[in-house]
Amino acid sequence: MAISLSQNDTSTVTPDNASDYGSDIDDETAFSLLSQAELQAPVEPSFLASIEDIPIPVEHESLEQRIHLRLSRLQQSLDSVRESSARIEAIVGARRAQEASVEIEYDEINRGQFSPVRQDESQATQTQQEEVDLKTDTRSPIERWRTKPKKPLSVTDLVSPAWCEQQYEYNLSKYGRIRATKAMKEGSKVHKVLEEQVHTAVPVETVSKEDAFGLRIWNTIEGLRTLREDGLTRELEVWGVLQGEVVIGIIDEISTTCPDEQMEADMLDGGASKGGKKGKKVEQLAPGQQTLTDFLTSSQTNGLLQNDSAFLGTLHPEKPRTYYLKDIKTRQSRTLPGPGAASRPTHMQLMLYHRLLTSLAANEVPADTVFTRYGLDPHTTFSDKFIAEIANLNVPPPTSQNDSEALEPGREDPLTVLLAHNTLTALWTLMISEFQLTFPPTTSPSISPLLTASFRTASAHSATEPAGSIIGTRVFFFDPPIINAYLRSEMAWWKGERATVGVEVEEAYKCARCDFAEGCTWRRGRVEEGLRKARLRREGRGRSEV
DNA sequence: ATTGCTAAAAGG
């Protein structure tokens, strides 16, 4: 008898303790699952309430959002700050009295960079057309979608295929991007509320190309300072280079809060017991844990450690803290995804953030590669207007102003800082030193290998359970071999070194929610294979019965 | 644009 697959019953296919790839369902069942997928009509979730009970500011909704200056919540006495506006602008302006700053609208300078969105062929012909495109277009995905003047690769680009690479390719072919679903829009709102708990966004109206990128770097610097001062930051932008390709990501949350004391204790105990210490041993090592020991031992190699601690002591009286990466995932249902294939994108996402963050803290990211990719001149000085705007708004919190001994380097007033780092190269260097200050190389990794996915409801499920309520948490380890193998495989796809791979039959439930299921060549191939195997089995049975 | 688009990510 075939297992009936409904949207509420995906656990039938991927029970919590199932391995990623192991399956005990037979081919006949798999075939019926694949067939059923296309019968599933999309159900409008009319029962979902709106999340209006979360106060959502709407004024920063549009295209200026990304070039907003990010202020920590401590820096909100803006009115008094703005009073000095004219004065500071005059000071900055005097430096280059003659050189008029060029004002360029943000969307004008960037329009050409964005991937073209193909629109308006009829629904019916589109899928067929795309199939033809996929066959005839011999360019690699990276050539087609992520080559200048289009945007560089993102973490999303690298982890989305972990759900279904074939689906991602169809999306890129058809739209040049992923189209936001209702669920995603709801998720964005929850994220936005969380971010505004930590930062206040102030619009910066017009900037040059270099200014615009400088502001992004400045926001990251600000995010790191917020993290050190408040023990929490959200939406931290990071850059990296992977196999020569620029990769950009936004880390949802970093904080000093340990997600799981027990896992942390087991982890540290595991590391200590290697040095001969007897005692409680972690019996059943999780897949990531063996490599974790390697991670710990490799990072505490030498006597440089002592020097670093002493050096840091002069800046940071308290001992270096451990920071934990977290990603918040909103869900339409109140259930958690299974730990196997359904969680793969999240696992890879957090592990990739860990890698990017670590390489920035180690100053391993070639800044020139990043700037070149964006077509930016790393030595052009920022415009007076830009420097003045940042200087006007970004004032150090009053607490640290009183006591200048306690000021970290570069924590002086923003005008001084920006004048001293008034090109992209210089500001990048400052950013790197902020990364190094925040995540120094110490015995206990300052970037914890404990990674957290925190699941929240996208919308209210009851009066006591409003939108954004926490459903549950999954904590797992950074696992270098896993993420490295994944990235190698994914980059091979992006570079066109291997063909697109869709979901395995065990993951056919994904097809039920996929717009491309009907015309999916991968899926058709799998259905045909299922039929063939079923037929072979039937024939085999027939013979043996004679 | 009846919500479009942009930055990544947003979810399944």
Side-chain angles (χ1 to χ4, degrees), chain A residues 111-131:
Chain A
R111 189 158 290 150
Q113 289 190 26
F114 301 131
S115 35
V117 179
R118 258 188 271 159
Q119 225 149 6
D120 304 323
E121 292 153 81
S122 87
Q123 283 282 356
T125 61
Q126 224 165 22
T127 311
Q128 290 166 5
Q129 185 57 50
E130 293 312 328
E131 279 178 33

Side-chain angles (χ1 to χ4, degrees), chain A residues 116-392:
Chain A
V117 179
R118 258 188 271 159
Q119 225 149 6
D120 304 323
E121 292 153 81
S122 87
Q123 283 282 356
T125 61
Q126 224 165 22
T127 311
Q128 290 166 5
Q129 185 57 50
E130 293 312 328
E131 279 178 33
V132 173
D133 283 358
L134 286 175
K135 288 203 180 88
T136 57
D137 198 324
T138 52
R139 290 174 300 166
S140 69
I142 207 162
E143 284 174 310
R144 292 183 70 185
W145 298 300
R146 293 295 180 265
T147 295
K148 254 199 318 197
K150 289 172 192 159
K151 62 183 184 147
L153 283 175
S154 67
V155 169
T156 308
D157 288 329
L158 289 168
V159 304
S160 295
W163 178 265
C164 175
E165 196 170 83
Q166 182 66 75
Q167 183 193 42
Y168 199 61
E169 185 180 41
Y170 278 131
N171 266 307
L172 289 175
S173 299
K174 187 169 177 181
Y175 307 112
R177 64 192 160 85
I178 296 287
R179 299 183 81 198
T181 62
K182 189 183 174 186
M184 290 158 117
K185 288 173 187 166
E186 283 185 331
S188 297
K189 289 185 187 177
V190 173
H191 275 257
K192 188 165 183 172
V193 171
L194 290 169
E195 213 244 316
E196 286 173 356
Q197 291 173 0
V198 176
H199 294 121
T200 304
V202 177
V204 175
E205 285 166 23
T206 59
V207 283
S208 77
K209 238 164 87 169
E210 281 74 20
D211 288 348
F213 202 82
L215 181 51
R216 289 164 71 174
I217 296 175
W218 186 265
N219 279 337
T220 290
I221 291 170
E222 198 55 42
L224 291 170
R225 292 175 173 180
T226 305
L227 177 57
R228 291 200 302 276
E229 284 160 22
D230 303 349
L232 170 71
T233 196
R234 293 213 167 102
E235 310 287 335
L236 188 81
E237 183 163 17
V238 291
W239 300 268
V241 176
L242 217 77
Q243 296 183 18
E245 296 294 329
V246 172
V247 177
I248 182 171
I250 294 185
I251 301 174
D252 223 355
E253 181 181 308
I254 308 176
S255 80
T256 51
T257 309
C258 176
D260 191 319
E261 300 288 354
Q262 186 58 52
M263 282 177 83
E264 173 132 287
D266 291 353
M267 169 183 89
L268 295 172
D269 187 48
S273 64
K274 200 181 177 183
K277 187 193 162 193
K278 295 281 174 201
K280 185 175 76 170
K281 224 177 172 180
V282 184
E283 282 305 328
Q284 199 73 8
L285 286 178
Q289 231 158 352
Q290 199 57 55
T291 57
L292 181 73
T293 309
D294 300 339
F295 177 82
L296 284 172
T297 47
S298 67
S299 62
Q300 57 181 353
T301 38
N302 48 36
L304 208 143
L305 181 66
Q306 285 292 342
N307 297 337
D308 278 357
S309 308
F311 166 70
L312 286 161
T314 64
L315 305 167
H316 246 356
E318 72 277 27
K319 76 169 190 183
R321 288 180 292 185
T322 301
Y323 293 100
Y324 304 88
L325 307 196
K326 183 196 272 188
D327 203 75
I328 287 122
K329 297 288 177 202
T330 57
R331 311 256 312 159
Q332 299 288 100
S333 86
R334 293 173 52 187
T335 61
L336 294 184
S343 291
R344 228 160 73 103
T346 303
H347 289 159
M348 299 307 165
Q349 187 180 8
L350 274 153
M351 287 198 265
L352 184 46
Y353 287 148
H354 189 288
R355 262 193 65 154
L356 293 174
L357 199 57
T358 305
S359 60
L360 281 165
N363 194 14
E364 289 168 355
V365 180
D368 53 333
T369 307
V370 177
F371 297 140
T372 304
R373 180 60 182 78
Y374 280 98
L376 299 164
D377 180 356
H379 303 296
T380 300
T381 54
F382 299 131
S383 70
D384 291 350
K385 190 170 199 307
F386 169 70
I387 294 174
E389 284 212 54
I390 306 299
N392 288 345

Side-chain angles (χ1 to χ4, degrees), chain A residues 74-88 391-393 395 398 401:
Chain A
L74 294 168
Q75 301 176 348
Q76 289 185 56
S77 51
L78 294 178
D79 288 345
S80 62
V81 172
R82 281 185 217 265
E83 282 173 23
S84 61
S85 174
R87 189 175 53 80
I88 298 182
N392 288 345
L393 297 172
V395 169
Q401 242 172 348

